[in-house]
Amino acid sequence: MLSTMLLDQDFVATVIAPKQEVIKAGVWRCPICTYDNEDSMSECDICGVLRNPLVKFSGNSNRTAANFKRLSSLDMPSSEREKNILIESELGAEGPNSSSASLGRDGRSVVKGRETASDSGSKPEILNSSMSSVSLSSKSRTENANEDKDKSNLQYKPESWMMPDQAEGRLSQLNLAIVGHVDSGKSTLSGRLLHLLGRISQKEMHKYEKEAKQQGKGSFAYAWALDESAEERERGITMTVAVAFFNSKKYHVVLLDSPGHRDFVPNMISGATQADAAILVVDASVGSFEAGLDAIGGQTREHAQLIRSFGVDQIIVVVNKMDVVEYSQERFDMIKQKLGTFLRSCGFKDSSVLWIPVSAMENQNLVATPSDTRLFTWFHGPCLLDAIDSLQLPARDYSKPLLMPICDIIKSQSQGQVSACGKLETGAIRTGSKVLVMPSRVVATVRSMERDSQVCSIARAGDNVTVNLQGIEGNRVTAGGVLCHPDFLVHVANQLELKILVLDVTVPILIGSQLELHVHHAKEAARVVKILSLLDPKTGKVTKKSPRCILAKQNAVVEVVLQGSVCVEEYAKSRALGRVSLRSSGRTVAVGLVSQIMKTQD
Ligand code: GTP
Ligand code: MG
C-alpha cells in the first residue's frame, strides 16, 4: 500500500512539476513569445505580457489564455477601443492537457489548445457526499494566524448611494453560466437566443452563415457569434468564456458561454465563479449524453460538480438536440432520471432543477412554446426564456465593503489606461471612488465604468463591469487580483486550511501531493503539507485524525502551501472569495472552502 502511494505521489509530482521561469541569471523568459527579458523588466519587452501575474501555477510547458472574451460584435464598446485594447493573457499552465496563449494580430488573445484530450481515468462512481455539507459546515477558528488588523477597529457603514434605488427602474442583473460537455450545443444555443432576442441582427447572422459555410462549418453559424477567434472557429470548439447579454421580461441576463472541452476547464471555472445560476446543456443524442456523464472525462459531470461547489444551486438542464432523437419523450425521461440522480448526489435539490427539452438548431422551445408536434404533444412546461425568468436572484451584499475579483485586464496602449473587468461580489463603486488594487496594494481612482458596453456611473454587487482606473500603472493590476475598499483589505495568503470533498478520483490525495488551487479567478500551485482530519460528510464531525491519505468521496481538512500568494478570504467571511477547487493532471480532484487563512504575505 505504501509503495503504491509513494508511486502515485511521484507521479503527481512529476506530472505537474513547476516550470522554471528564470533560465539564466539576470534574465527571465517570456512564457508567451519566449523572448529573454532583463530581470528588471516587469513585463515582456516584446509582447507586453506580465512577468509575475498573480494568476500562475505550475505545469509542464503550456499555458492558458485570458479566460474571457467580451464579444466585439455584441459587447465591445467602440471600434477605436477595439484597435487599442490588449487583453492580458492569464499566464497559467494546465499540466499535460493544457492550452497555450499567444497574442493575435488584432491584439486580442488567441488560445492554442491541444488537438485532442487524453483522459486520465477513474472508474464511474456516483458521488454520495453532498457538496452542500462541505460548503455549509465552515467554522473558522477564533485563534487565527491572520489577525484582521485593518478591519477589526473599523465598522463599515455603506453610503446611501450604494443601496439599489428601485426608482432607477433598471432590470436586475442575472449572471447565467452556460456549461456542459463539449459539443452539446452551448454556443449554438446562446447564439440562437441572442438572435431571437434581437441582440444579433439579421445582417450579422447572414454574415456568420456565409462565412461558416465557406469554411465548411455551416452548422456552427450560431456558435460563431460566440466563438470569435480564428482557432475556435477552425476547431469548432469554444476555448474562452464568451460574455454577452440580453433582456428577458424580468432580468438583464449576462450570458457566460463556457468552453466544454476538458482542456479549458480552468477558463470555465473563471466564468462559473461569477454565476448566479447556470444552464447545464446536455446533448440528447444517443452516445453523446452518455459520454458527458462518463466518469472519465465527462464534462456534464465535472461542470455540475464545479458549479455546485461555487455555490450555484439553481440550474436549468437544457436537453438539447432533441431533433436528433425525434423529440422522444422516452429519451428525455431517461436523461432526466439518470442525470437527476447524479445532480442530487452533487447537492442540487430537485426543486431547484428545471428540465427543458429543446432544439437550438430547429428553434424549438427556446423563446416560445414548441411548434413541432412531436414535442408539444407531451411537453407542457415553460420554454427556456420563461424558465430563465423563473430563476431567483441570490441575495446581494450591497452593504458590505467592496470586493471585486478581477477576471481580465484591458490595457489601452495608446492612452496608457488600464481597466479591470469582473463582477462585484459585495459593495458598490461609482465614478471617482477610491479602490485598493490587490495584491499590489495601490490605491487607484475609478475614472469611468462600463456595463455591457454602456458607460455607467454606479456599479453594485452582482454587476459585471469594466472599471477604468486612474493613478495606477498597468502592471500593478492583474487578473486574479481583487479591487477592494481602501480600508477593508482582502487577505493575500500563501498557506491555507481547507475543508474539501474529494471527487471520484483513483489517485488518493497524500501529504506532498501537488495540486492546482483555483479560487475566484486566481490559480496557484499548491502542495498538501498536512492532512489534519477526515470528516463525517453528514455531521461534519472529525472521524479520524491525521489520516495518511484521502480517498474518493471523503471529506477532509487539509493544509496547503501555495507557490505564490492569492487574494483570498475565509469562507465564513466571503463565500465568493472562500470557495476553492483543486485540480491535478487536467481534472478536478476536490472542491471545498477556505476554513482558515494560515499565513499571509506580510
Ligand atoms: P464547446 O463550446 O466546444 O464545448 O461546444 P458547444 O457546446 O458550444 O457546441 P456548439 O454550439 O459549438 O455545437 C456543436 C455542434 O452541435 C455544432 O455542429 C452544432 O451545429 C450542433 N448543434 C447544436 N445544437 C444542435 C441542435 O439542437 N440540433 C442538432 N442537430 N445539432 C446541434
Ligand atoms: Mg461553445
Side-chain angles (χ1 to χ4, degrees), residues 154-171:
L154 286 167
Q155 193 73 47
Y156 178 72
K157 282 198 197 84
E159 296 169 43
S160 58
W161 62 267
M162 294 179 167
M163 305 316 265
D165 181 359
Q166 301 305 330
E168 273 176 28
R170 107 174 141 91
L171 293 171

Side-chain angles (χ1 to χ4, degrees), residues 134-148:
V134 170
S135 55
L136 296 175
S137 58
S138 159
K139 252 184 234 153
S140 60
R141 284 186 221 161
T142 43
E143 294 280 352
N144 195 331
N146 180 46
E147 287 293 320
D148 284 357

Side-chain angles (χ1 to χ4, degrees), residues 513-584:
S513 286
Q514 293 279 359
L515 305 165
E516 299 147 12
L517 177 121
H518 292 244
V519 54
H520 54 96
H521 305 293
K523 306 167 202 170
E524 192 57 66
R527 188 164 48 88
V528 177
V529 290
K530 276 185 200 164
I531 304 179
L532 297 156
S533 56
L534 292 180
L535 303 176
D536 183 309
K538 293 213 166 67
T539 61
K541 288 203 176 121
V542 174
T543 53
K544 188 171 182 185
K545 281 194 175 160
S546 309
R548 296 171 73 98
C549 64
I550 322 167
L551 306 172
K553 297 188 278 183
Q554 287 187 325
N555 287 265
V557 182
V558 297
E559 211 173 290
V560 292
V561 171
L562 309 181
Q563 189 176 302
S565 297
V566 291
C567 293
V568 68
E569 286 293 347
E570 289 170 1
Y571 180 82
K573 290 201 189 113
S574 166
R575 290 178 174 219
L577 273 78
R579 285 195 178 98
V580 297
S581 54
L582 295 167
R583 307 194 82 232
S584 169

Side-chain angles (χ1 to χ4, degrees), residues 39-61:
D39 222 7
S40 57
M41 299 290 292
S42 59
E43 57 188 79
C44 178
D45 207 17
I46 299 298
C47 67
V49 156
L50 296 182
R51 178 184 184 183
N52 285 320
L54 187 74
V55 188
K56 64 180 194 301
F57 59 107
S58 69
N60 284 354
S61 59

